[in-house]
């Protein structure tokens, strides 16, 4: 079975939602869960019927969200350090962490190493569109990028879309402030010229194309991507809150909402980031899934499923093969 190392104590809400998510995942699909943390705290949370799937890696320190990611290598007793180390030593096939994302990225890059041809890893996330999902990367790993970085992101995103999203010919686009080739800053203009080498590249796309299902993979630098991600989370929360407030205003609205309940539930599920669980760090020599610090049990469960799917694929090998085609 697949061995998944879980940073069991690194999230904003401590170990309980993380362990609950692990247990929910085990109820649906068997795997070996290596819980990285204080076993004295974790063991009482595990029911006897699932103990056979659980191992422990002792770690008593948590890398604080207030610490700098550059200090991650110094703190060798933290849960995230030991989880990444299990992956490096081939004792785990993947890591899932809702802890400090910068620390996860730094440790994965420095301890696991980058794939051949990759100068910088990228964090990829799924965004809901009117039909299915759009893959957006980078969403935070790299705030300052060069054109060759975005070109590498494009190759990684395209391979991920084929292997994990099962899209045979993913439509690949570059985020810019206009569809025309002449639009954009110096980075996007230079990146556009490089991406024209890729058969599935359809050109520039605008922000609205994340949601209209006209693009499968959208490429940007991590500064822009992270701003988009956080903005979309805020917009989704605000819309649902406004809708709730309006429904409460009258009896007719309440009755209408009652009839529309199933539709609202489907909409909420489609737009809920917890349904995706976490974002894969593409470009490192291993599988690392970075979850939101506020992840609940559902998010952790889905992050584990992402890790299992990634581990069972040949995505890293395929990325290196694609890079060789373009002498990257």
């Amino acid at each position: 079975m697949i061995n998944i190392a879980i940073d069991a104590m690194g999230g904003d809400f401590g170990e309980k939602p993380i362990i609950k998510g692990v247990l929910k995942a085990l109820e649906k699909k068997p795997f070996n869960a290596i819980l990285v943390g204080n076993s004295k705290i974790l063991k009482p949370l595990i029911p006897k019927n699932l103990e056979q799937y659980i191992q422990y890696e002792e770690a008593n320190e948590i890398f604080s969200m207030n610490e700098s990611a550059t200090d991650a290598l110094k703190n060798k007793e933290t849960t995230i350090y030991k989880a990444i180390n299990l992956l490096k030593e081939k004792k785990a096939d993947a890591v899932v962490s809702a802890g400090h994302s910068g620390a996860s990225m730094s440790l994965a890059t420095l301890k696991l190493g980058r794939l051949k041809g990759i100068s910088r890893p990228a964090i990829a996330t799924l965004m809901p569109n009117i039909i299915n999902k759009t893959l957006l990367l980078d969403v935070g790993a790299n705030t300052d990028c060069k054109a060759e970085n975005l070109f590498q992101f494009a190759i990684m995103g395209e391979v991920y879309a084929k292997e994990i999203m099962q899209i045979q010919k993913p439509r690949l686009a570059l985020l810019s402030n206009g569809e025309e080739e002449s639009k954009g800053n110096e980075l996007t203009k230079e990146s556009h010229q490089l991406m024209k080498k890729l058969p599935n590249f359809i050109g520039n796309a605008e922000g609205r194309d994340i949601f209209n299902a006209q693009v499968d993979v959208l490429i940007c630098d991590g500064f822009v991507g992270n701003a988009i991600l956080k903005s979309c989370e805020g917009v989704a929360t605000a819309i649902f809150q406004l809708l709730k407030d309006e429904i409460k205003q009258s009896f007719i609205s309440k009755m209408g909402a009652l009839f529309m309940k199933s539709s609202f539930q489907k909409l909420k599920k489609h737009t809920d980031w917890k349904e995706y669980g976490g974002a894969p760090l593409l470009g490192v020599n291993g599988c690392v899934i970075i979850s939101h610090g506020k992840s609940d049990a559902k998010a952790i469960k889905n992050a584990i499923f992402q890790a299992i799917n990634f581990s069972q694929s040949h995505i890293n090998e395929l990325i290196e093969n694609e890079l060789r085609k373009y002498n990257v």
Side-chain angles (χ1 to χ4, degrees), residues 9 26 66 69 76 81 92-93 98 125 137 151-152 161 167 178 180 189 205 212 235 241 280 282 304 310:
M9 305 178 77
L26 282 170
N66 298 321
K76 298 183 179 181
Y81 186 100
D93 300 298
T125 193
L137 71 160
F151 180 72
Q152 292 165 13
I167 303 173
E180 299 83 2
K189 289 177 184 177
N212 62 17
V235 168
Q241 186 59 53
L282 300 178
I304 289 169
F310 192 114

Side-chain angles (χ1 to χ4, degrees), residues 130-148:
I130 58 173
I131 297 175
N132 198 354
K133 304 288 185 296
T134 301
L135 185 70
L136 179 68
L137 71 160
D138 178 28
V139 294
N142 308 278
T143 54
D144 296 299
C145 290
K146 297 179 180 179
E148 54 263 35

Side-chain angles (χ1 to χ4, degrees), residues 176-315:
S176 187
N177 63 336
E179 296 178 354
E180 299 83 2
E181 186 175 336
S182 60
K183 290 290 183 72
N185 56 22
E186 290 304 313
L187 174 62
T188 53
K189 289 177 184 177
E190 190 178 346
S191 301
H192 187 107
Q193 296 307 309
L194 289 177
M195 290 185 197
K196 286 166 77 172
K197 301 175 186 178
L198 302 173
N200 292 327
F201 180 60
I202 61 174
N204 287 348
E206 298 180 21
R208 63 171 175 264
D209 296 316
I210 297 171
F211 311 104
N212 62 17
Q214 298 300 306
V215 173
D216 297 309
V217 181
L218 189 57
I219 304 302
C220 61
D221 65 69
F223 181 87
V224 171
N226 193 263
I228 288 173
L229 182 64
K230 299 294 173 59
S231 298
C232 291
E233 286 178 3
V235 168
T237 301
I239 287 175
F240 279 105
Q241 186 59 53
L242 288 168
L243 192 58
K244 285 180 181 179
D245 292 344
E246 286 298 319
I247 288 170
K248 292 176 183 177
Q249 296 302 312
S250 71
F251 176 75
I252 294 174
S253 296
K254 291 178 182 177
M255 290 302 297
L258 187 62
F259 287 115
M260 292 286 289
K261 186 177 180 180
S262 62
S263 297
F264 287 147
Q265 287 174 338
K266 288 177 183 177
L267 176 62
K268 187 174 182 180
K269 183 177 181 180
H270 185 64
T271 58
D272 188 1
W273 61 266
K274 296 170 188 174
E275 294 291 334
Y276 321 135
L281 180 62
L282 300 178
V284 295
N285 193 19
C287 172
V288 177
I289 305 296
I290 297 174
S291 295
H292 200 296
K294 291 179 171 55
S295 292
D296 62 6
K298 180 169 73 171
I300 295 297
K301 176 193 72 174
N302 289 325
I304 289 169
F305 292 154
Q306 271 209 58
I308 292 172
N309 291 337
F310 192 114
S311 299
Q312 292 177 331
S313 74
H314 299 286
I315 186 168

